[in-house]
């Protein structure tokens, strides 16, 4: 591990030197590329240097205990040793995690898909709540949210919504949100005050770029139809909605949010490419491990990764057995604590198993 860390530090120093070269400074494209690589290495180099400083401090304290004759100095040196040893252990763990191969999709934007599952209208209302939660989380991270397609209900719920979230390292933050999210609460339509359980599926796909996925036109069937909406209002009277069927995979994507057939087709193509990229990613993961987790099940409430319990103000992630009792704050977009905990869990699992597919 330490040989690898030394190589990373040498590369970091070389990049620093290159960025000071007048020839590089005059070439903005090259300068930005080097600056990004240096920035990516910055955290691991800072931790490695802190690790070495802490090791040196520990060695100095131990030497003082062996050679110093003043009892007060010996006692002071000895009292600092446990904290230094704990810090070294923590830094070693951080460095091992930072050395894990990065997911090539981590820097990508994401296609977020939310669908109401078990629970009827209450599930659709919770789907709207989840979409609002992710929208506020994106806002807190200065990301941009663009709705690509949605199917709303007359009561303010969402049967399905597909959105593009773009910004800095969105996929690295969002990738573990995929799965079934269960809600336990008293619906607004429930007169008796009885708690209902509903489920919503969430899928987070890395946005595919043209370089990632190429689609041959002969493999596509394009159908156009008239858009529909709740209550018959705001509905196009032209065939502007578009349905794409990818014949080799059987994937079907439809978009009707825009009034332009051209725009709907472009949005549908963006979603289709991301789903095809996700299929390929899953295929590669299956080749690495037979126990690959399924992203989203049937939408049945038993296949859950999280439970949102309103009466107890509790959010529980069942994958890591963690409960937080600040549900309203989380629904307001303050998801960072839970997301960080889940990421750390999977990083620790990758360290233990050597499976880098996470």
């Amino acid at each position: 591990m330490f040989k690898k860390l030394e190589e990373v530090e040498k590369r970091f120093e070389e990049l620093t030197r290159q960025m000071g070269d007048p020839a590089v400074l005059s070439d903005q494209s090259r300068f930005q590329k080097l600056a990004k690589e240096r920035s990516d290495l910055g955290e691991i180099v800072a931790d490695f240097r802190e690790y070495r400083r802490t090791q040196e401090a520990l060695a100095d304290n131990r030497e003082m205990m062996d050679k110093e004759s003043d009892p007060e100095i010996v006692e002071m040196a000895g009292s600092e040793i446990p904290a230094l040893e704990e810090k070294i252990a923590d830094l070693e763990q951080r460095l091992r995690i930072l050395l894990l191969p990065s997911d090539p999709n981590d820097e990508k934007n994401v296609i977020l898909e939310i669908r109401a599952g078990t629970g009827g209208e209450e599930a659709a209302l919770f789907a709207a709540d989840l979409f609002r939660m992710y929208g506020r989380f994106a806002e807190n991270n200065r990301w941009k949210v663009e709705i690509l397609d949605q199917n709303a209900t007359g009561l303010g719920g969402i049967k399905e919504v597909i959105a593009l979230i773009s910004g800095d390292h969105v996929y690295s933050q969002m990738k573990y949100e995929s799965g079934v999210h269960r809600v336990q609460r008293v619906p607004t339509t429930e007169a008796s005050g009885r708690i209902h359980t509903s489920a919503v599926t969430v899928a987070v796909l890395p946005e595919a770029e043209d370089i990632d996925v190429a689609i041959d036109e002969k493999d596509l069937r394009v159908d156009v139809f008239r858009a529909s909406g709740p209550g018959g209002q705001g509905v196009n009277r032209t065939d502007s909605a578009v349905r794409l069927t990818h014949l080799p995979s059987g994937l079907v994507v439809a978009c009707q949010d825009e009034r332009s057939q051209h725009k709907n087709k472009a949005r549908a193509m963006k979603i289709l490419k991301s789903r095809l990229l996700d299929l390929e990613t899953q295929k590669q993961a299956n080749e690495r491990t037979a126990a690959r987790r399924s992203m989203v099940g049937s939408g049945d409430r038993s296949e859950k990764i999280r439970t949102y319990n309103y009466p107890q103000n509790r959010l529980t992630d069942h994958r890591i057995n963690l409960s937080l009792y600040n549900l309203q704050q989380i629904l307001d977009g303050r998801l960072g604590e839970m997301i960080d905990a889940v990421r750390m869990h999977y990083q620790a699992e990758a360290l233990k198993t050597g499976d880098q597919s996470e």
Side-chain angles (χ1 to χ4, degrees):
M1 180 176 84
F2 295 106
K3 182 179 180 182
K4 176 66 174 176
L5 288 167
E6 288 168 0
E7 291 172 356
V8 170
E9 186 178 37
K10 286 179 182 177
R11 178 59 180 165
F12 180 84
E13 292 169 347
E14 173 60 24
L15 289 166
T16 304
R17 284 192 294 271
Q18 289 184 31
M19 289 173 63
D21 186 331
V24 174
L25 288 169
S26 63
D27 184 345
Q28 277 301 300
S29 176
R30 185 181 174 196
F31 179 84
Q32 289 174 6
K33 183 179 179 181
L34 295 176
K36 184 181 183 309
E37 184 182 354
R38 183 180 182 279
S39 175
D40 291 342
L41 299 178
E43 183 179 5
I44 192 168
V45 170
D47 280 355
F48 183 39
R49 289 173 175 173
E50 180 64 20
Y51 175 84
R52 282 194 305 218
R53 285 192 293 267
T54 309
Q55 284 277 30
E56 290 169 3
L58 179 62
D60 290 343
N61 279 36
R62 285 174 173 165
E63 185 177 358
M64 278 192 286
M65 289 189 67
D66 291 339
K67 297 182 178 180
E68 187 58 54
S69 58
D70 188 329
E72 289 187 6
I73 295 179
V74 171
E75 182 181 356
M76 182 182 68
S79 67
E80 293 176 350
I81 285 177
L84 290 169
E85 290 176 336
E86 182 178 353
K87 185 176 180 180
I88 287 170
D90 290 343
L91 284 167
E92 281 186 359
Q93 178 72 358
R94 277 179 53 83
L95 289 167
R96 291 184 190 279
I97 289 173
L98 288 169
L99 281 175
L100 286 173
S102 61
D103 186 330
N105 292 322
D106 274 351
E107 297 183 11
K108 290 183 180 293
N109 302 326
V110 305
I111 301 292
L112 172 69
E113 302 184 355
I114 300 176
R115 294 179 179 84
T118 306
E121 184 62 37
E122 168 62 6
L125 289 170
F126 183 56
D129 291 338
L130 280 187
F131 184 55
R132 193 176 305 111
M133 176 186 75
Y134 287 123
R136 289 173 178 169
F137 180 64
E139 183 181 340
N140 293 340
N141 283 281
R142 299 181 180 179
W143 299 337
K144 179 185 175 184
V145 179
E146 177 189 357
I147 296 176
L148 301 179
D149 196 47
Q150 69 174 327
N151 184 358
T153 68
L155 297 178
I158 294 175
K159 292 181 181 178
E160 177 185 44
V161 60
I162 302 173
L164 170 66
I165 303 181
S166 53
D168 184 32
H169 284 77
V170 183
Y171 187 71
S172 69
Q173 292 282 314
M174 295 281 292
K175 61 183 175 182
Y176 297 121
E177 293 302 294
S178 297
V180 175
H181 296 238
R182 186 178 72 163
V183 61
Q184 294 174 325
R185 65 183 179 185
V186 179
T188 55
T189 55
E190 175 60 55
S192 66
R194 186 167 59 91
I195 295 174
H196 285 228
T197 299
S198 304
V200 168
T201 62
V202 174
V204 176
L205 315 177
E207 182 192 17
E209 301 171 9
D210 290 340
I211 193 172
D212 298 319
V213 177
I215 297 178
D216 195 321
E217 284 292 332
K218 71 177 179 8
D219 291 334
L220 278 182
R221 185 174 73 234
V222 181
D223 300 307
V224 295
F225 56 98
R226 189 161 299 176
S228 61
Q233 297 177 355
V235 179
N236 289 350
R237 300 191 181 280
T238 60
D239 291 339
S240 61
V242 174
R243 182 187 300 108
L244 300 181
T245 303
H246 186 246
L247 301 175
S249 66
L251 287 175
V252 179
V253 178
C255 274
Q256 62 175 16
D257 246 31
E258 293 285 347
R259 294 183 178 275
S260 159
Q261 184 183 121
H262 175 72
K263 288 182 179 179
N264 280 326
K265 183 178 179 182
R267 287 184 166 190
M269 186 68 77
K270 183 183 292 288
I271 297 167
L272 177 60
K273 286 184 176 181
S274 294
R275 290 183 183 173
L276 286 170
L277 175 61
D278 183 60
L279 279 179
E280 181 60 28
T281 301
Q282 290 190 47
K283 178 183 175 183
Q284 292 172 2
N286 284 331
E287 291 172 355
R288 289 192 297 265
T289 171
R292 173 70 156 86
R293 293 180 228 9
S294 175
M295 266 188 97
V296 171
S298 63
D300 184 82
R301 62 188 64 164
S302 66
E303 300 176 312
K304 60 186 182 295
I305 64 165
R306 290 216 184 114
T307 294
Y308 301 69
N309 187 298
Y310 277 65
Q312 297 178 16
N313 192 35
R314 168 176 57 84
L315 173 65
T316 297
D317 193 294
H318 302 285
R319 297 166 296 182
I320 61 174
N321 197 28
L322 173 65
S323 292
L324 300 177
Y325 291 86
N326 58 339
L327 179 58
Q328 191 53 56
Q329 293 179 351
I330 291 169
L331 291 169
D332 285 337
R334 295 167 65 177
L335 271 167
E337 183 179 358
M338 180 61 79
I339 283 178
D340 288 345
V342 174
R343 289 174 67 196
M344 287 178 64
H345 166 79
Y346 282 113
Q347 286 170 342
E349 288 296 305
L351 280 175
K352 286 192 296 187
T353 64
D355 176 12
Q356 309 302 344
S357 62
E358 304 300 346

